[in-house]
Amino acid sequence: MSLVELFEFIVQYLDIDLDYDIIEDDYCYCNHEDVVIAMNIDDAYHNCDKFMDFAATMYPKAREFNVVFWSFLHEVGHTKEEAEDYNDLVLRTMLNIAPSEPLTAEAYFRLPSERAATKYAADFISANYEKCKIANDIIEDWLERNDSE
């Protein structure tokens, strides 16, 4: 089973209404214009501790779930909102970060669209806890069989 097939199965299993195609790419993202959700296992693990700390602010039991599962639901959350396209200067202004300062993961997670997408994931898990635990186990089994973290 490919990564794309895995997430297509998860969408069906969790009965998620998703009109976006799932693709594999170099990063995890949602593209409203191309109507795709892109997933990448290595990218999901990038900044995973910081992302999971952030997720735990919205769902205290966040660490019961794998970051790849969270990342996917987070990207699904982006499909449920209006597309926002910010350039770097607008992002920095919104976050009160000087142009000379680095844009940290923690700052990025504070963006309204990022908070909304993570809140969608937290609310979805909370409302569908048992099915999400099973979906998480399916993803973890897949990761183990495919030698991912």
Side-chain angles (χ1 to χ4, degrees):
M1 176 184 291
S2 72
L3 178 69
V4 169
E5 291 168 331
L6 170 68
F7 286 111
E8 287 172 345
F9 175 81
I10 296 299
V11 165
Q12 283 186 320
Y13 175 72
L14 293 175
D15 197 28
I16 296 173
D17 182 24
L18 186 65
D19 293 330
Y20 281 59
D21 289 329
I22 300 168
I23 63 170
E24 186 170 1
D25 203 348
D26 294 337
Y27 300 97
C28 298
Y29 61 86
C30 173
N31 183 314
H32 295 287
E33 187 175 307
D34 293 337
V35 194
V36 297
I37 289 177
M39 289 301 297
N40 178 286
I41 301 303
D42 293 335
D43 189 48
Y45 282 108
H46 181 71
N47 284 323
C48 82
D49 287 335
K50 293 174 185 175
F51 177 72
M52 293 305 289
D53 289 345
F54 174 67
T57 66
M58 295 185 192
Y59 187 73
K61 297 189 276 184
R63 290 195 182 269
E64 289 182 17
F65 296 87
N66 186 290
V67 68
V68 174
F69 181 66
W70 266 99
S71 294
F72 179 68
L73 284 181
H74 169 92
E75 297 308 333
V76 170
H78 280 302
T79 72
K80 308 299 181 185
E81 66 186 43
E82 290 294 316
E84 296 181 37
D85 185 22
Y86 299 119
N87 67 34
D88 189 61
L89 182 59
V90 172
L91 290 175
R92 290 173 178 286
T93 301
M94 289 175 70
L95 297 170
N96 198 26
I97 298 172
S100 59
E101 293 180 48
L103 182 60
T104 65
E106 294 88 345
Y108 180 76
F109 298 147
R110 291 195 324 255
L111 289 169
S113 63
E114 294 305 311
R115 290 190 64 78
T118 303
K119 183 172 181 341
Y120 169 86
D123 291 347
F124 188 90
I125 291 171
S126 182
N128 302 281
Y129 181 81
E130 292 303 322
K131 283 188 91 169
C132 284
K133 285 299 281 182
I134 293 168
N136 184 74
D137 290 346
I138 291 167
I139 290 171
E140 287 189 336
D141 287 346
W142 187 92
L143 291 169
E144 189 174 301
R145 283 194 317 276
N146 290 278
D147 295 322
S148 297
E149 289 187 40

